[in-house]
Every structure is written in C-alpha cells, then in structure tokens.
Amino acid sequence: MLANYDEIHQLRAELAACNLTPSERAAAQAELDKHLAEQAVLDRQFDAAVSEKEPPS
C-alpha cells in the first residue's frame, strides 16, 4: 500500500514540476489515474475492515 501511495506522490510531482512532452504527460496522467483508482479500492477495503472490528471495551 505504501508503494502505491509513494507512486501517486511521485507522479503528481512529475506532472507539476517536469517539462513533459504531451505524450509523456498523457502517460503520466494515465498512470496516476490508475494508481488513484487502486488506492481508492485499498481505502475502501481498509475502511470496511476497520468498521467490522468492535471497539475495545
């Protein structure tokens, strides 16, 4: 999960700070979108797992 999170931040930084060709920018954006979708799934799975646990007494 941390690798996906790190990849998201790296891609965001590249898109914000690097001079990319249009094709490189499109590829980086597509990769970012893929990682964001994966992270959303992981976040939902985590939230579901946490909500299933009973709070400590």
Side-chain angles (χ1 to χ4, degrees):
M1 187 158 98
L2 187 57
N4 194 48
Y5 180 81
D6 291 339
E7 189 69 25
I8 289 169
H9 285 280
Q10 181 180 357
L11 287 164
R12 283 181 172 160
E14 284 179 20
L15 286 166
C18 294
N19 291 327
L20 301 172
T21 66
S23 63
E24 290 171 331
R25 182 166 295 281
Q29 186 63 53
E31 189 73 14
L32 175 60
D33 293 343
K34 180 186 90 166
H35 284 288
L36 287 171
E38 289 174 7
Q39 189 64 46
V41 169
L42 292 172
D43 290 345
R44 284 192 300 274
Q45 289 172 344
F46 177 80
D47 290 344
V50 169
S51 69
E52 290 174 1
K53 300 279 184 186
E54 296 203 15
S57 43

